[in-house]
Amino acid sequence: MAFLNAALLFGLAAVVIPPIVHLFSRRKFDVVDWAAMQFLQLSTKTRRKIFLEHFWLMLLRVLVVAVLVGALAAPQITSSLLGTATAGGTRDVFILIDGSASMSYQDEGGTAADAARTWVDGYVSQMKTGDRVAVFQVRNTPMPIVPALTADRGQARTALELLAPPKGTADWPAAVQSALSLLDGGHPNRDVIVVTDNQRFGWADETALAKWDLVRRGSNRSAPDAARVWVVNVAPTRKPNPTNWSLEPITTPRGVAAADREMTFRSAIRYTGEGDAGRPGEVKLEIDGKPEGVIAPGAEGDSLSLVVRRKFGVGSHLVTLKLADDGLPSDNRQDFAVEVLPLIPLLAVDGGAKRGSDFLRDALAPAKDPNPAFAVRTVSASEWSAEMFTQDVRGTNTAPRVVILANVDKLSAAQQTQVEKYLADGGSVLVTVGDRTDAANWNRVAFRGGQGFLPARLIEPVGDEGDIPNAPKVLPAGFTHPALEIFKEPLPGGLQTAYFPRRWKVDVAAGANGVTGTAAALLTTREPLLVERPFGKGRVLLATHPLDNSWKTNLIRLPDFVRLAHELMYHLAGTRTAERNLNPNQPIVFTPRPPEAIGPVGVLAPDGRARTVNPDSWPVVIDGTGESGAYKLTTPGGRAVFFAVRNDSREAVLTPNSSGENSDQQRVADLVGNLRYTNEIVDITSHGGGQPVSAEVWWVLLLLVLAFLALEVVYTRKLTDRGEHNLRGK
């Protein structure tokens, strides 16, 4: 037995109150002996009787006080007998059905999704009278099928028809933890049943194991009355590592593009599993939901690469690749949403009298180009104002997508605030440092120990402008960054021939608390040329060279300088691509561009369901994006805007959890506690009822207090009546 309010047990000292009251309330009188007194004295037997009567009355009053104090201290007992008595053979059960894509894998035995529905239907049909069940399908997040515990077996079995087709991934640690939380403190006999296909991903991979450890830390799974967790494998006959063809996510170095400029999209057909899978089916291309032919794959490493090159008009567009269905059809489609602008607006803030940013401007928007991809507004550092971050560069809806800080000597605290607000809202910044840069100011205002927007701490300029033969060049092995992949193939006058006699030395790893930038391009001396880091919703790129004709570089004379300028701006301007290509359950946040009046927004989900959202203001936030695939929004003005929710390519790997000692299954069981693996319904229904259960019993003591009080009243009344009778008899 334990006491939840043990400090109140000090109140037991109150048991001395009844004896003290009794002693002080006794009558005080003088004894006067007289002749006939001997005939009125009580016998020894009568005296003993009176003493015992008063003793039992006093004990009864002491017990009332003691038991009342014990009740207030909230006693709790833990007992297996109590578990049996309170459970009564019934139980509360949460069933979690795996709704991830792997459950749709088709083999000789059918799909695990069909087997799961059959297993759960069989379990519900065998429930005892009084058993209650709730059913959720785990697809990215748990989706309620039977949302609340119910004893209605017919309702539960009928609701199984509402199970959605398997898609996406399952976050099992989060789902199991939610179920345990909902059962916590409820029925003493309770279970969580996980019905799955035993896929390792999502259950025992490195990420999942780390999450299971958090589940262990966040709950007392070793308590004797903890809910049991059962894991049922409904695909026991599936091959240990079946073959499967799937599509890799679509990528592009340009998340945003100017109209009628060619964009390149890449994907690949990936093979997983063991054995001969034959040849994959054909891959069809769709643009904005309309067929555009078949894409022929090319060999690239262990996969078959897919490359799509297309030009687009202004607006929102959707690129879709579809692989012919195989055993696992849910991983045979990939979508990518892209935004195409009339031109990409840029703001260049120049810190030098010679306007070094003019080299970038001429590369991006040549004066003789009648249809440039970029519109560049150039201002001096002294002209810089906060309003410029939102002012249109050329025409309506042309607020700058990228701000270039070209060799700006210093930043004020107000300017630093302006830049960081711009980044927080999704803008991007290119910082080039040169001979005018004040390192102390930039480190204090813009770096701030890694908490500011600058990706690295500035140290000092290094190198000799006159030592051209020993000047470091760009390291071609570093052309893995999305903006630099185009330079992998060496060309005459290519980026790999650029040399930099003088440049800034920076410390990429100087940020506190693990905040560091990432080297996007390296020189042959292993010094960074470009350093990148995300900040807010935006992105910052630091160039350790001013990217102009200073410091005797040949970069601006190379043909690839124009390509480099374009690719860097496309990369930075595409930061907001993440707003169009989302993770499951990441809400759509949408503001129409160009602006439109507030009105209803139509939403068409990947499964064909349509709904209308009526926002009060822009932006409109649209939830319910757990389904991977393409979402089509229709603005109040009738324009179509596409969003894509990406699926996780790891779901295509059907490797099962290993079993036995030191296996995947054992590691999860050790972390969760009170977890068992079984495929038999009887193992679950026959277990439980009689496990140790903790319960508070203060109410039992209060009933005893009432009983003792009633007994005290009756006993006192009896003694009083006897005394009056004796007086009347005399």
Side-chain angles (χ1 to χ4, degrees):
M1 176 181 290
F3 292 91
L4 301 182
N5 299 320
L8 294 181
L9 291 176
F10 287 106
L12 287 174
V15 298
V16 303
I17 294 177
I20 293 174
V21 171
H22 174 74
L23 291 174
F24 278 97
S25 64
R26 293 180 63 183
R27 292 182 181 180
K28 301 295 188 297
F29 53 86
D30 296 329
V31 179
V32 179
D33 293 331
W34 53 288
M37 187 68 183
Q38 59 181 326
F39 299 106
L40 298 177
Q41 290 180 350
L42 298 176
S43 66
T44 303
K45 181 177 180 181
T46 303
R47 287 177 181 275
R48 186 180 298 112
K49 179 179 180 182
I50 293 174
F51 172 79
L52 289 175
E53 287 176 344
H54 284 278
F55 173 78
W56 291 119
L57 180 61
M58 184 66 63
L59 181 61
L60 195 58
R61 290 171 177 172
V62 169
L63 284 175
V64 168
V65 175
V67 175
L68 179 60
V69 171
L72 294 177
Q76 184 184 64
I77 63 173
T78 301
S79 171
S80 298
L81 295 177
L82 182 63
T84 302
T86 56
T90 63
R91 69 181 69 213
D92 285 348
V93 180
F94 259 75
I95 299 179
L96 303 177
I97 302 176
D98 192 344
S100 64
S102 64
M103 293 286 286
S104 65
Y105 182 78
Q106 178 81 43
D107 57 12
E108 295 82 358
T111 68
D114 293 336
R117 183 183 288 105
T118 301
W119 192 97
V120 175
D121 182 78
Y123 177 85
V124 172
S125 66
Q126 295 183 34
M127 287 169 49
K128 298 178 182 178
T129 302
D131 286 356
R132 298 189 302 170
V133 66
V135 183
F136 285 75
Q137 186 181 30
V138 182
R139 292 176 57 194
N140 299 310
T141 57
M143 300 172 56
I145 305 301
V146 181
L149 290 166
T150 179
D152 189 340
R153 286 179 289 181
Q155 174 194 352
R157 297 180 70 181
T158 302
L160 293 177
E161 299 300 323
L162 302 176
L163 288 171
K167 208 168 186 181
T169 62
D171 186 349
W172 283 118
V176 171
Q177 185 175 38
S178 297
L180 291 172
S181 299
L182 292 171
L183 286 174
D184 188 33
H187 198 288
N189 191 18
R190 55 198 189 276
D191 301 274
V192 174
I193 303 176
V194 175
V195 183
T196 179
D197 61 349
N198 197 38
Q199 185 187 25
R200 185 176 187 272
F201 172 64
W203 184 264
D205 60 276
E206 289 73 12
T207 301
L209 289 175
K211 292 181 178 180
W212 283 125
D213 187 55
L214 294 177
V215 173
R216 177 183 63 83
R217 295 173 184 270
S219 59
N220 185 14
R221 296 292 300 146
S222 61
D225 60 344
R228 297 174 295 272
V229 178
W230 302 89
V231 183
V232 177
N233 177 16
V234 292
T237 60
R238 181 186 292 178
K239 294 180 180 179
N241 202 6
T243 58
N244 181 42
W245 292 102
S246 62
L247 282 176
E248 290 284 285
I250 299 173
T251 61
T252 178
R254 301 178 179 181
V256 65
D260 298 322
R261 280 348 192 244
E262 185 176 80
M263 296 186 69
T264 301
F265 303 89
R266 297 182 181 276
S267 180
I269 307 174
R270 185 174 62 156
Y271 167 75
T272 58
E274 298 176 353
D276 183 11
R279 293 186 58 81
E282 63 181 13
V283 179
K284 296 181 179 180
L285 171 67
E286 293 183 359
I287 302 295
D288 300 340
K290 300 177 181 179
E292 291 283 333
V294 176
I295 304 299
E300 185 175 294
D302 296 332
S303 60
L304 301 175
S305 62
L306 299 169
V307 180
V308 176
R309 294 184 173 87
R310 283 293 188 279
K311 296 180 180 180
F312 299 93
V314 175
S316 177
H317 298 279
L318 182 73
V319 178
T320 302
L321 294 176
K322 291 183 177 180
L323 175 65
D325 285 348
D326 56 4
L328 186 61
S330 57
D331 59 8
N332 294 342
R333 173 176 174 144
Q334 293 289 352
D335 298 279
F336 190 90
V338 63
E339 181 183 10
V340 179
L341 305 176
L343 46 75
I344 298 175
L346 312 173
L347 172 65
V349 180
D350 199 305
K354 296 182 180 180
R355 305 184 74 88
S357 63
D358 288 349
F359 290 92
L360 281 173
R361 183 203 59 197
D362 292 342
L364 296 168
K368 296 182 180 180
D369 188 347
N371 187 27
F374 299 91
V376 184
R377 178 186 182 185
T378 304
V379 299
S380 66
S382 60
E383 296 172 323
W384 178 3
S385 65
E387 293 75 17
M388 293 180 179
F389 287 84
T390 55
Q391 286 178 351
D392 288 334
V393 173
R394 183 185 299 173
T396 305
N397 192 36
T398 58
R401 287 295 187 100
V402 181
V403 172
I404 304 169
L405 303 181
N407 202 6
V408 174
D409 56 348
K410 295 181 179 180
L411 289 183
S412 67
Q415 290 171 334
Q416 166 259 322
T417 301
Q418 294 164 12
V419 173
E420 293 189 358
K421 182 181 184 303
Y422 174 73
L423 288 164
D425 293 337
S428 292
V429 174
L430 171 65
V431 179
T432 68
V433 289
D435 55 352
R436 293 177 53 85
T437 303
D438 183 339
N441 172 269
W442 276 86
N443 289 334
R444 183 179 67 256
V445 176
F447 183 65
R448 303 200 312 276
Q451 302 307 306
F453 68 87
L454 195 66
R457 185 175 69 88
L458 303 180
I459 300 178
E460 61 182 357
V462 296
D464 182 0
E465 295 181 45
D467 189 10
I468 302 298
N470 294 318
K473 297 182 179 180
V474 182
L475 188 65
F479 291 162
T480 57
H481 188 273
L484 303 178
E485 286 184 346
I486 192 174
F487 302 103
K488 281 184 177 180
E489 183 180 353
L491 298 173
L495 184 60
Q496 78 280 357
T497 65
Y499 53 78
F500 301 88
R502 192 163 174 79
R503 61 276 172 200
W504 271 88
K505 182 179 180 181
V506 299
D507 186 353
V508 176
N513 301 322
V515 179
T516 61
T518 302
L522 293 173
L523 299 176
T524 51
T525 55
R526 297 291 175 175
E527 300 170 85
L529 175 63
L530 299 172
V531 184
E532 183 178 41
R533 69 164 291 191
F535 191 94
K537 295 181 181 179
R539 182 183 294 133
V540 185
L541 195 63
L542 169 66
T544 59
H545 188 279
L547 302 184
D548 56 24
N549 66 341
S550 62
W551 285 354
K552 301 296 180 65
T553 182
N554 67 335
L555 175 64
I556 54 97
R557 299 192 300 271
L558 297 177
D560 261 0
F561 177 65
V562 174
R563 286 207 302 169
L564 176 65
H566 279 69
E567 294 306 320
L568 292 181
M569 291 305 109
Y570 278 127
H571 173 68
L572 290 171
T575 300
R576 292 178 179 171
T577 302
E579 298 176 359
R580 299 294 179 95
N581 297 278
L582 313 171
N583 296 318
N585 293 309
Q586 181 182 347
I588 295 172
V589 181
F590 172 66
T591 299
R593 298 186 181 93
E596 295 186 16
I598 297 295
V601 176
V603 182
L604 182 64
D607 58 4
R609 291 181 299 173
R611 58 187 170 118
T612 300
V613 178
N614 294 290
D616 296 325
S617 61
W618 302 120
V620 58
V621 179
I622 300 172
D623 295 315
T625 58
E627 183 89 6
S628 59
Y631 289 77
K632 181 180 179 181
L633 271 60
T634 305
T635 70
R639 291 187 294 118
V641 181
F642 294 99
F643 292 80
V645 174
R646 319 295 295 275
N647 56 36
D648 196 321
S649 60
R650 293 175 295 177
E651 187 67 28
V653 181
L654 300 174
T655 303
N657 291 302
S658 59
S659 58
E661 189 175 356
N662 298 322
S663 64
D664 294 332
Q665 292 183 351
Q666 187 60 51
R667 281 193 288 270
V668 175
D670 292 342
L671 287 172
V672 177
N674 207 8
L675 181 148
R676 300 173 178 85
Y677 295 88
T678 184
N679 294 345
E680 303 299 330
I681 294 176
V682 66
D683 290 344
I684 303 174
T685 57
S686 63
H687 196 283
Q691 75 275 20
V693 170
S694 297
E696 296 182 31
V697 293
W698 56 267
W699 57 274
V700 177
L701 297 185
L702 282 182
L703 290 178
L704 284 176
V705 169
L706 294 176
F708 288 155
L709 285 174
L711 184 59
E712 192 270 348
V713 171
V714 172
Y715 195 56
T716 303
R717 183 63 179 270
K718 180 180 179 181
L719 295 179
T720 303
D721 290 345
R722 182 186 301 167
E724 292 178 353
H725 175 74
N726 292 336
L727 289 174
R728 286 195 299 269
K730 293 180 179 179

